[in-house]
Amino acid sequence: MKIDTKIIAHRGSKGTRPENTLISFQTALDDGADGIETDVHFSKDNHLIIMHDETVDRTTNGSGLIVDKNLAEIKHLDAGIRFSPEFKGTTVPTLQEVVELLIRDHFSGIFNLELKTNKIQYPGIEKAVFDYFASINYPFQLIYSSFNAHSLEILNRLDPQAAGAKLFKTAAKEAKSLKKDHLISDFHPDIRWIKRHPFFAPAQNLRPWTVNSTEDMQYCFERNMAAIITDFPARAVQVRTEMRE
Ligand code: G3P
Ligand code: MG
């Protein structure tokens, strides 16, 4: 079967490594992922911090909001020990550290940066992200995404060429918002939403999350969706290889 679907590693190889850490991203590259998805927040001193939640509580040995901490405090946290003692000493990366890892690896796939501005807006974060990428040369395809369409509008104004993906979760509310999201070029829906709306089109810019079971992977590969976002890129590579044979 011809399958062009790309495999994007969700927070790195989240299923087997502490999420959103350099070891998680390196493992995703070693697993053969075609893309990396990650989440970004602003620290108190306006550094771009890679983490999923607004607080550090779930994934580190600390507590409190990222926005209330400066970079030096965040760098003292352990982002591995809660996942497994084996990863004790793993630090919270900045956006720059992740991008430098990808550049060192000559990564030419998709880098999907999700701006986590739906709960805390982090005024100025879009400009900071834009300025950072404008200041470097990078070999990958950059796709911005956010649950906050306003962030994507700001990025679109700053960089009309950049791809912007609206993330969505629930049927009624989000389906309505699609009509007015004319600036949004790509769609990253919950796989459960897609399975309830199987005629949603087009497939070329559809990258659902989080596609973890073999069955869901097969569902997306059969429909030749643009990409899947998965916690288990190694499994996805294996499933896709078997289906291509
Ligand atoms: O970008 C897809 C996915 O990461 C969106 O949800 O909560 O895992 O960031 P979340
Ligand atoms: Mg995300």
Side-chain angles (χ1 to χ4, degrees), residues 63-182:
S63 66
L65 290 165
I66 297 169
V67 74
D68 287 340
K69 299 183 188 303
N70 58 38
L71 179 62
E73 290 173 274
I74 292 168
K75 278 293 180 190
H76 272 104
L77 300 171
D78 190 309
I81 196 160
R82 278 184 179 273
F83 184 85
S84 161
E86 186 193 337
F87 297 104
K88 184 173 184 290
T90 304
T91 54
V92 175
T94 60
L95 175 63
Q96 184 176 340
E97 287 171 316
V98 176
V99 168
E100 284 172 359
L101 181 150
L102 300 180
I103 290 174
R104 268 199 309 277
D105 220 78
H106 306 288
F107 176 69
S108 59
I110 296 167
F111 183 52
N112 174 198
L113 184 64
E114 181 184 349
L115 278 77
K116 280 286 182 204
T117 48
N118 49 313
K119 291 187 181 155
I120 298 177
Q121 287 182 1
Y122 302 120
I125 193 170
E126 297 85 359
K127 179 81 164 58
V129 166
F130 169 79
D131 285 347
Y132 171 61
F133 283 112
S135 74
I136 60 166
N137 289 314
Y138 53 88
F140 45 78
Q141 181 198 351
L142 178 61
I143 299 175
Y144 296 122
S145 62
S146 184
F147 285 112
N148 181 350
H150 186 57
S151 278
L152 297 174
E153 284 165 21
I154 296 172
L155 284 165
N156 188 273
R157 274 201 297 276
L158 290 165
D159 182 3
Q161 305 306 318
K166 178 75 196 297
L167 293 166
F168 57 102
K169 258 184 186 158
T170 54
K173 181 169 152 258
E174 298 295 351
K176 254 189 235 162
S177 86
L178 294 181
K179 291 200 181 73
K180 52 182 195 288
D181 287 346
H182 57 281

Side-chain angles (χ1 to χ4, degrees), residues 10-11 37 39 52 112 114 116 145 147 167 169 188 209-210 229:
H10 185 231
R11 310 181 205 168
E37 187 268 358
D39 313 286
H52 178 268
N112 174 198
E114 181 184 349
K116 280 286 182 204
S145 62
F147 285 112
L167 293 166
K169 258 184 186 158
H188 293 192
W209 50 273
T210 308
I229 301 176

